[in-house]
Amino acid sequence: MNKNMPIGVFDSGLGGLTVLRALQKKLPNESFIYIGDTAHVPYGNKSETAIINYATTLSAFLVDMYKVKMIIIACNTASAIAVKPLKEYFKVPVLDVITPMQKLFKKNNNIQRIGIIGTHNTIKSKSYEKLLFSLNPEIQIFSQACPLFVPIIEEGLENHPIAKLMSKEYLFPLIEQNIDALILGCTHYPILKKTINRFIPPEIEIIDSAEILSSYTKQHLKQQELTNSSPNVTTRLLVTDASDHFNQFARNILNNNFCNIAIINPF
Ligand code: DGL
């Protein structure tokens, strides 16, 4: 494996760009290839078979076409469902967005009542529960599927009254449980943070995985001696279907720090 090859990152759409932004910040000397599977978004209500098929096809495309040295699943739904088959199938390291959360909770014993929001599939998988209970069986977890958040965000409606209405609907039952922290268990949700903050009392800590995952990636690259040593770094964005909103959002969130957006058909 060549350490100067890019890191492959994928998500169902634009949500994983919140992870890519954190990765670019933490690892400015690395190259990235990002795929937004805009032809299949949302993943949150698809079958397990479909999600494993999408995740495997996108990963194979990253490995075969771009010779990536590592795959990052920048999607909680695909992390919850497809991480095991991907790890078994591919020789390159495969990182997911859920596992690194253990770093945070190992350190922070004050958090006892945790709210988790995510897609139907992520909540149904109980991936966060399994991880958190293994660290502390006493912890109390309250989870809530928020199936309309991803379509709202993909449509660019994060500041529209519909986003406020649905935030109230989804978050209120968790707030009533006196949670200490809220995990944004979907990489799209940080885009709604401003709206979410309006409903969540300030004493509740809001946790998203982008920062934690990027530190974890840095550590992993170092341990595996995979840190890039070439001076030429680029970020390329690929989508599986044309989306004007994806392009506009990518320019804003990444501050134009990428070279182009191309449409691919790996399926
Ligand atoms: N960003 C994906 C996640 O973290 C969104 C899933 C979807 O497409 O429904 O789960």
Side-chain angles (χ1 to χ4, degrees), residues 68 73 96 103 114 153 155 193 213 261:
V68 296
I73 314 173
D96 67 279
K103 277 180 82 152
I114 303 174
I153 293 162
E155 288 296 325
K193 218 166 177 176
L213 172 78
I261 304 178

Side-chain angles (χ1 to χ4, degrees), residues 11-16 40-45 74-78 97 118-119 122 150-151 154 185-189:
D11 178 44
S12 61
L14 51 78
H40 297 117
V41 67
Y43 281 6
N45 50 8
C75 171
N76 285 261
T77 310
V97 278
T119 65
T122 302
V150 169
E154 287 285 332
C186 171
T187 55
H188 279 70
Y189 298 173

Side-chain angles (χ1 to χ4, degrees), residues 109-125:
N109 290 326
N110 298 332
I111 301 177
Q112 289 299 322
R113 297 173 71 82
I114 303 174
I116 300 169
I117 53 174
T119 65
H120 268 313
N121 274 327
T122 302
I123 298 302
K124 206 169 75 190
S125 73

